[in-house]
Amino acid sequence: MAKKKYTYQYACINVRLKIAKRFRAYSKRTASTHAETLTAMMDFFEWHGYTPYQRFGQDIIEGQKKNRKRIEAVIAIIKDIEKNHDKPTTAMLQSLFQGVVEKEEPMRKEKLFKDKTRPEKKQIQTTVSKIVHERTQLKLEELRKGFGYVLDRVELVSNRFGNDYFKLKLSQQEFLRIKRELENH
């Protein structure tokens, strides 16, 4: 009984002899089998989003610029963490090695004053006429409606590599009208 040498299914692809020889030579330098070489080449193109007909020089530079911005953002975050977040850890480690936690004394001592009997301030009572109160209430209601109108047109925009932000969906005429109303109040 003969052993099966391969468990793979194979298919033929017709290529010119010159190209086949060139591919075999390239495959010997890069991988152990032709299938591994071809798989690695296809993975490269799919992973980076290139086609074999694109010029790599300009596309690679654009890809690096995109990635550079992301990497710089990550570096900035890491530097911020190193500056602001490692100080408590450092203090804890130093206290462990020293064995005794040093108590910090306040820089200045505040004097405690006991409340002496002071004459209480008289409360000033103010009265507002009913008409002024009603007008103020109406203006407040108008402002609430205006803010409600603006808040209904605010949309949250998610950002993958930064802070989320709000987008205001108003036309220029609506914006100018609201601005005038606020200035008149």
Side-chain angles (χ1 to χ4, degrees):
M1 223 190 220
K3 291 183 179 179
K4 290 186 179 179
K5 189 172 183 181
Y6 300 106
T7 58
Y8 307 115
Q9 293 181 354
Y10 288 94
C12 290
I13 299 175
N14 293 329
V15 293
R16 292 185 297 215
L17 183 62
K18 182 179 178 182
I19 295 171
K21 286 181 181 179
R22 183 176 165 205
F23 178 74
R24 286 181 183 143
Y26 179 76
S27 179
K28 283 182 183 179
R29 287 181 295 192
T30 58
S32 59
T33 65
H34 300 311
E36 288 177 2
T37 303
L38 193 56
T39 303
M41 288 169 34
M42 289 188 301
D43 289 342
F44 173 80
F45 284 114
E46 289 174 354
W47 178 266
H48 294 289
Y50 297 126
T51 63
Y53 302 107
Q54 286 179 324
R55 288 303 209 168
F56 287 119
Q58 192 63 26
D59 293 335
I60 288 176
I61 290 170
E62 288 175 11
Q64 286 176 346
K65 285 180 182 177
K66 259 197 259 182
N67 289 336
R68 182 175 293 138
K69 289 179 184 177
R70 293 177 184 168
I71 290 170
E72 287 174 358
V74 170
I75 289 171
I77 291 169
I78 291 172
K79 283 183 180 180
D80 181 54
I81 289 171
E82 287 175 351
K83 286 180 183 176
N84 298 328
H85 300 289
D86 70 340
K87 291 177 183 174
T89 307
T90 306
M92 284 192 273
L93 287 174
Q94 287 176 350
S95 68
L96 285 174
F97 287 121
Q98 291 175 358
V100 178
V101 178
E102 298 175 7
K103 294 182 181 177
E104 295 181 11
E105 294 185 20
M107 297 294 280
R108 61 183 175 146
K109 294 181 181 178
E110 296 181 14
K111 296 179 182 177
L112 298 175
F113 293 105
K114 292 185 179 180
D115 289 339
K116 296 180 180 177
T117 55
R118 293 184 186 174
E120 293 183 19
K121 293 182 180 178
K122 294 181 181 178
Q123 293 181 351
I124 301 171
Q125 294 181 354
T126 57
T127 57
V128 179
S129 68
K130 187 175 181 180
I131 297 171
V132 173
H133 177 70
E134 288 175 357
R135 286 182 186 165
T136 307
Q137 291 292 337
L138 288 174
K139 285 183 181 180
L140 178 63
E141 190 61 35
E142 287 176 13
L143 284 174
R144 281 186 181 164
K145 286 180 184 178
F147 279 119
Y149 179 79
V150 171
L151 289 176
D152 288 340
R153 278 140 186 86
V154 172
E155 177 182 306
L156 177 66
V157 178
S158 298
N159 194 355
R160 288 185 180 181
F161 297 104
N163 295 335
D164 296 343
Y165 61 93
F166 291 101
K167 182 179 179 182
L168 185 60
K169 291 187 172 183
L170 286 176
S171 68
Q172 189 174 8
Q173 291 83 16
E174 289 176 314
F175 177 77
L176 292 173
R177 180 184 55 83
I178 293 170
K179 187 176 177 182
R180 274 193 312 270
E181 287 176 7
L182 287 175
E183 289 173 353
N184 291 337
H185 281 294

